[in-house]
Amino acid sequence: MADFAVPGALACAQLFGTWLLTTGVDRPLGHGQWTAVAVSVIGSCLALIWRRVAPVPVLAAAVLLNGAGLLAVQSTETLVAGLSDGVALYSVAVQRGRRVAMAGCLATFTVAFAVALPVEQTASDLALNEALNVLYYIVVTALGQLRREHRERRDRLAERLAGADRERSAAAGSERERLARDLHDVAGHHLSAVVVHSGAVARRSDPELTAAALSAAAETGRDVLKALSRLVDVMGTESEDGELDAMLPALCQGLIRVGVPVSLVVEGAPSASRGPLLATLRRARALRGAAEEPRASGLRPEVGTAAYRIVQESLTNALRYAPGASVAVEVRHLPDAVEVAVVNEAPSEGGSVPALGTGRGIAGMRGRAKALGGTLAAGPDESGGWSVRAVLPTSPAAPAGTRRGPGWPEVLDAAVVVFCAILPPLLAFLPPDPALGGWSADGSVLVVIALVARAVPLWWRRRAPYLTLGALILIDVGWALTAGARSVGLLGVLVLGCTAEMIAVYSVAGHARPGRPTWPAPFAATLPWAVAWTVLLVTAPDARPGPWTIPFGLAGGVLFGALVLLPFWAWGRTVTGRGQRWETTARETVATRTGEAVQAERHRVALGLSGTVLEHTARLVRIAEAGAAGTPQDAREALDGVVEQARAALIDMRALLDALDEE
């Protein structure tokens, strides 16, 4: 439907707009000229029907038809050119790559410039129109390429959503493998040793050996209980709200409950902005009550998940390979990254920390960091302990093969800055009807510098939209109260630059941080309009200010400004903001599904341990302790009970491992 609706609406708009522009002028269009207008407009709009399937030929047809029509009419005061060729160029930029889009932009401008040379009456008109044409075609090309990148990004996210079940299954499988390895290392060897040793002693009637076997069984059982309790505590500490700064204290609390000295330091706060942040230091050495720490937000879900998993795996390794050693966890939120460091001292019995098994845990952590474009280093430190340090970028990593350096967003931002910088000076000083005619060279230079500097904050409209809007409001209010109060012409030049506020309001609506309200932006941006209108009412040559002049001026400026700015706010909110919210939701969905799968496996193992292996091991300890305190007959009977409970615990543990392997 859009393939036909857009060309039809565009043809009607061009013909009706041309009729409005040429009605009542000194030299209206003749019959032949109107025929040329109709053929050019209708032909170029008909070509747009095929703009999706053959964008390059459609662009060529639109440019040539528009150029021929403009030459036949011999007047730029029409809508013959500039619209259908803009739509065709946008389609080329959306459907084709960077080189074809840039070639199409250059070719379109070249034809437009060649056609304008014999049509424009004065050099000033030619300079103004062609300067605007350059910016117009660049902006159209940049918007098309951004749309192309946005569509590709959405397609990738849609594929990830479609494959979320596969990612969920893979994450669950990886977690099952890790848990099975930990269970075997923690309990399998020790319980098997109890069965073998106690069974051998039970076949002999040696009271001393029986007492020693019971003592060893009780000690081994307590070690297994302690290790399994640690594992259960670590597996059950993930916070429900999913925020990194809220999950880490709970994770460390699980280790403190089993006697591991852990310290946690979190510096700074997550932020989507790239500017410098005033770091806020929150220390929780003992971590008692750390769950009440204020929750920070702003990290992408995959970054927070990766940081949490790296800390979790590092703490698990510290439990396994450096029992009793103190562990320090540090998280630093930087403007563009999150730094994570987990450092444990050497084991309490002395010596250096041994190599971490097969290294698969480290490889997994390094893979998480690499997937985000970050780095991870793990190894012994100078003190004989072990350290894991990771740097995770907070901004999305560019896909493989993506061109580095300034991209189309920067091109668009530069075009916006240039447009808002040069349009007011051109209209202010360019003949034949300059808004500031008769000014001296020095005064003109100062005004031009001020107008150009006024547009500079728009460069940061994506990264800091509210700051950009605030800077423009302050500049324009100051301009209205100082320069505008001295000259009506300067006040008019300020009005000519109102497009800057429109763009800033659009940027706030589309690029403000998630969760931050954007509706105040269009109303705040009306302040310069209100001040300018009030100054005009008070300082006009024939003005007669009264008690209601200032309130009327302020109210009128706010009302008119809101009517103009609210559509730009709605546009940014609907187009750009909606797309960004969809992408954020998609990423959160993938991360949540993966996290849910991992957590489900951990809870399943924790419940299985609590109901079976832990129960049998606890009985083993009680029986061994009671037998050691009783008669020799009680000791021999207790030894049989110890073997029975150890075998039962092993059977249950192996059943749990088999269930994990079957998934």
Side-chain angles (χ1 to χ4, degrees):
M1 180 63 69
D3 290 339
F4 297 92
V6 171
L10 193 60
C12 294
Q14 286 183 268
L15 293 174
F16 182 69
T18 300
W19 177 78
L20 289 178
L21 291 173
T22 58
T23 299
V25 298
D26 294 337
R27 291 190 299 176
L29 298 181
H31 179 74
Q33 290 175 313
W34 267 112
T35 301
V37 168
V39 171
S40 172
V41 169
I42 294 175
S44 61
C45 289
L46 282 176
L48 291 178
I49 295 175
W50 293 275
R51 66 190 185 277
R52 299 179 191 269
V53 295
V56 174
V58 167
L59 175 62
V63 169
L64 293 177
L65 286 170
N66 286 344
L70 193 60
L71 287 175
V73 174
Q74 287 292 306
S75 173
T76 57
E77 301 297 327
T78 64
L79 294 182
V80 174
L83 294 180
S84 57
D85 57 349
V87 174
L89 178 59
Y90 177 81
S91 298
V92 169
V94 172
Q95 302 295 333
R96 298 293 182 263
R98 176 187 296 263
R99 292 184 178 179
V100 176
M102 294 176 66
C105 177
L106 180 60
T108 304
F109 171 74
T110 301
V111 173
F113 179 73
V115 171
L117 281 175
V119 175
E120 294 289 356
Q121 301 298 320
T122 65
S124 60
D125 288 341
L126 179 64
L128 176 60
N129 286 337
E130 296 316 305
L132 295 179
N133 274 343
V134 169
L135 293 174
Y136 171 65
Y137 291 127
I138 289 176
V139 167
V140 168
T141 305
L143 288 174
Q145 285 284 284
L146 287 174
R147 174 62 181 172
R148 176 183 175 85
E149 293 175 359
H150 172 71
R151 191 171 63 183
E152 292 175 348
R153 191 163 58 248
R154 285 176 66 98
D155 290 343
R156 289 194 297 269
L157 285 173
E159 290 177 1
R160 286 194 64 190
L161 283 174
D165 290 338
R166 292 192 299 271
E167 290 193 22
R168 179 188 181 99
S169 177
S174 176
E175 188 69 5
R176 282 196 300 270
E177 183 180 354
R178 187 184 73 83
L179 291 172
R181 183 182 69 245
D182 288 347
L183 282 176
H184 183 272
D185 291 346
V186 167
H189 174 74
H190 293 80
L191 291 175
S192 297
V194 169
V195 171
V196 173
H197 183 249
S198 299
V201 172
R203 290 190 293 270
R204 303 176 62 178
S205 300
D206 190 332
E208 293 184 1
L209 287 177
T210 300
L214 288 175
S215 177
E219 183 65 25
T220 301
R222 283 191 289 269
D223 290 341
V224 171
L225 280 177
K226 185 177 181 181
L228 291 180
S229 297
R230 286 179 177 176
L231 187 60
V232 170
D233 283 336
V234 171
M235 285 194 295
T237 58
E238 190 164 340
S239 173
E240 294 181 358
D241 56 22
E243 295 291 349
L244 177 64
D245 289 6
M247 293 192 293
L248 290 180
L251 176 64
C252 296
Q253 282 278 18
L255 275 75
I256 287 179
R257 285 196 296 268
V258 296
V260 179
V262 181
S263 65
L264 171 65
V265 175
V266 179
E267 295 184 7
S271 175
S273 65
R274 300 177 187 270
L277 298 175
L278 178 62
T280 303
L281 180 62
R282 299 192 307 274
R283 296 185 179 273
R285 290 294 183 184
L287 289 172
R288 300 301 182 184
E292 283 78 32
E293 285 283 331
R295 190 177 80 172
S297 61
L299 283 181
R300 291 185 293 129
E302 54 266 40
V303 176
T305 300
Y308 179 83
R309 298 300 181 199
I310 288 172
V311 173
Q312 181 187 54
E313 180 70 21
S314 301
L315 291 176
T316 301
N317 288 335
L319 278 174
R320 296 173 61 195
Y321 296 101
S326 61
V327 186
V329 180
E330 296 182 2
V331 177
R332 291 184 176 85
H333 295 284
L334 304 177
D336 294 310
V338 175
E339 289 187 355
V340 177
V342 181
V343 181
N344 60 267
E345 297 179 355
S348 56
E349 64 271 13
S352 60
V353 179
L356 297 187
T358 63
R360 293 161 66 182
I362 296 177
M365 292 189 291
R366 188 171 286 118
R368 288 183 181 276
K370 185 177 180 181
L372 296 172
T375 59
L376 183 138
D381 56 21
E382 297 178 354
S383 64
W386 190 274
S387 66
V388 176
R389 301 183 186 276
V391 179
L392 308 176
T394 54
S395 57
T402 301
R403 182 186 180 95
R404 295 186 178 274
W408 287 110
E410 289 75 21
V411 172
L412 181 60
D413 290 342
V416 166
V417 172
V418 172
F419 174 78
C420 293
I422 70 170
L423 181 62
L426 288 176
L427 296 177
F429 297 106
L430 201 65
D433 299 312
L436 297 178
W439 276 57
S440 65
D442 293 340
S444 300
V445 169
L446 290 176
V447 171
V448 170
I449 292 175
L451 291 174
V452 171
R454 173 181 174 272
V456 171
L458 288 172
W459 178 255
W460 293 277
R461 67 185 186 90
R462 297 174 188 270
R463 288 164 287 182
Y466 259 114
L467 289 178
T468 298
L469 178 61
L472 284 175
I473 291 173
L474 291 176
I475 292 171
D476 288 355
V477 169
W479 181 289
L481 292 175
T482 55
R486 295 173 178 268
S487 169
V488 175
L490 288 173
L491 200 60
V493 171
L494 175 63
V495 175
L496 294 176
C498 64
T499 52
E501 267 88 7
M502 300 174 187
I503 294 171
V505 168
Y506 171 89
S507 300
V508 169
H511 300 292
R513 290 179 57 183
R516 190 169 186 178
T518 62
W519 62 264
F523 299 101
T526 62
L527 182 58
W529 301 59
V531 173
W533 179 243
T534 304
V535 169
L536 180 62
L537 292 179
V538 173
T539 61
D542 56 348
R544 295 181 179 178
W548 294 99
T549 301
I550 293 179
F552 175 76
L554 293 175
V558 168
L559 179 60
F560 181 76
L563 292 176
V564 173
L565 295 171
L566 279 172
F568 286 88
W569 172 81
W571 183 18
R573 183 75 176 167
T574 303
V575 178
T576 305
R578 184 175 61 185
Q580 291 183 346
R581 288 192 297 273
W582 185 89
E583 291 182 12
T584 300
T585 302
R587 292 191 183 98
E588 289 177 348
T589 300
V590 173
T592 300
R593 290 179 182 178
T594 302
E596 287 175 350
V598 170
Q599 190 67 5
E601 293 300 322
R602 295 167 66 214
H603 280 302
R604 184 160 70 111
V605 172
L607 290 174
L609 289 174
S610 299
T612 57
V613 180
L614 285 174
E615 182 178 350
H616 288 301
T617 306
R619 289 177 182 174
L620 180 154
V621 173
R622 291 196 297 269
I623 291 173
E625 291 176 343
T631 64
Q633 180 62 31
D634 294 334
R636 287 193 297 272
E637 294 176 357
L639 203 58
D640 293 334
V642 164
V643 173
E644 180 182 354
Q645 294 300 323
R647 285 175 175 168
L650 277 175
I651 291 173
D652 288 340
M653 189 192 72
R654 287 168 181 165
L656 182 58
L657 292 176
D658 290 340
L660 293 177
D661 291 337
E662 291 173 0
E663 292 292 335

